[in-house]
Amino acid sequence: MKKTAGILVNQRNLEALCVNTLNKKNLSVTVFSDSKSLFQSLIDEHLHLLIIDSSIETETIDMIERYRMLRPQLYIIVLGDNANMQGQFIEIGCNVYTHEQGLDHQLNILEIDHLPQHHTYDELIDMWRLSNVDYHLYTPCHKKIKLTVREFKFLKLLFESEKVLSKDMIKEHVIGGDYFTSDHRIALLVARLRKKVNTESVHDLPIKPDYTNGYLFAGRCIVKHPTPKRL
């Protein structure tokens, strides 16, 4: 099946660049005029790639995060020129953050065959499982992900929290040490976890950041404990 891309940009030259380059890569391209039509398309259809211009007033980090949560497997390229925002877009799960001059390069190096395939309904509704038996993470598509001790502690706190897990809790129970660099170390931990899961499975890790307070795991999840032995 031919893979599909969606584009929402505010310049005709960028639109033409995306359409021409992606057509050459045998991608079917839909150009959207506003976020409403894009959002409806994400509900009704399966896009594999989304190119979004963050300079458009409606395309805030919160809106783009909604796109990610609606289609966890979507490959998202965000256009922007604010270096201070790059980390936040990557942290919510966007794959690439680039300026207009770098877009041509990102499109040319894009490997279409490596764009994630869509999952079946049964796979999507399955749970993320964190095992207290072998200390691995199991994805909804049943991939087994090896974790470091710090990654396991962090995910366990997230899985067992019914609300946003505060940064102070993460600092106390996972990071430790120098509190002046804790926020950066937490963000790096999340980024590495996302990259690890994305590399080894077809799913994206649904960790939702609350930049003021902490983090929330936005997927269905469970911690599996050892089965008690019968006497």
Side-chain angles (χ1 to χ4, degrees):
M1 179 183 293
K2 194 172 186 179
K3 293 186 177 180
T4 58
I7 303 171
L8 178 54
V9 296
N10 65 356
Q11 296 182 42
R12 293 298 296 273
N13 63 314
L14 292 177
E15 180 182 304
L17 170 66
C18 293
V19 171
N20 292 335
T21 304
L22 295 176
N23 281 165
K24 289 178 182 178
K25 289 177 172 284
N26 200 32
L27 269 174
S28 174
V29 181
T30 300
V31 177
F32 298 101
S33 58
D34 53 56
S35 60
K36 183 178 180 180
S37 58
L38 168 56
F39 198 85
Q40 188 62 49
S41 178
L42 289 174
I43 293 173
D44 297 337
E45 303 174 24
H46 289 294
L47 293 178
H48 297 84
L49 168 68
L50 176 63
I51 300 172
I52 198 84
D53 191 340
S54 63
S55 69
I56 299 174
E57 185 176 356
T58 58
E59 303 315 295
T60 63
I61 194 166
D62 289 336
M63 178 60 74
I64 295 174
E65 186 176 17
R66 291 190 184 99
Y67 301 154
R68 161 61 69 218
M69 299 307 298
L70 185 62
R71 293 293 180 190
Q73 71 275 36
L74 188 63
Y75 191 96
I76 301 177
I77 297 177
V78 178
L79 290 176
D81 56 7
N82 187 341
N84 294 326
M85 293 294 293
Q86 180 175 4
Q88 294 186 33
F89 280 108
I90 297 300
E91 194 171 351
I92 66 168
C94 296
N95 301 85
V96 174
Y97 182 90
T98 185
H99 48 69
E100 294 176 7
Q101 294 76 18
L103 178 60
D104 185 44
H105 173 69
Q106 291 296 334
L107 294 179
N108 281 311
I109 66 173
L110 185 66
E111 297 185 17
I112 302 304
D113 290 340
H114 291 170
L115 289 178
Q117 297 288 344
H118 294 288
H119 325 306
T120 67
Y121 179 73
D122 287 340
E123 287 174 329
L124 287 173
I125 64 171
D126 203 356
M127 284 189 172
W128 293 83
R129 288 156 292 146
L130 189 65
S131 175
N132 246 335
V133 180
D134 62 6
Y135 303 102
H136 282 69
L137 174 68
Y138 291 81
T139 72
C141 61
H142 312 299
K143 288 289 185 178
K144 182 178 179 180
I145 309 293
K146 185 177 180 180
L147 301 173
T148 65
V149 172
R150 182 167 287 176
E151 289 168 348
F152 179 84
K153 287 181 178 179
F154 174 61
L155 286 176
K156 190 171 185 290
L157 284 174
L158 276 179
F159 277 33
E160 294 179 340
S161 178
E162 296 181 357
K163 55 185 179 180
V164 173
L165 179 66
S166 72
K167 289 183 179 179
D168 286 342
M169 285 287 290
I170 301 170
K171 292 171 186 176
E172 179 181 354
H173 296 284
V174 181
I175 301 299
D178 183 5
Y179 268 52
F180 292 102
T181 61
S182 294
D183 284 359
H184 174 72
R185 292 168 69 187
I186 293 171
L188 187 60
L189 174 63
V190 172
R192 286 176 174 170
L193 263 172
R194 282 204 178 102
K195 182 177 180 181
K196 178 183 290 190
V197 172
N198 189 254
T199 299
E200 299 184 30
S201 80
V202 296
H203 287 274
D204 291 302
L205 194 63
I207 296 177
K208 183 176 181 180
D210 180 316
Y211 297 106
T212 303
N213 300 311
Y215 293 84
L216 177 71
F217 196 84
R220 296 178 66 226
C221 60
I222 188 172
V223 178
K224 299 195 71 174
H225 297 280
T227 302
K229 293 182 179 180
R230 293 183 179 181
L231 298 177

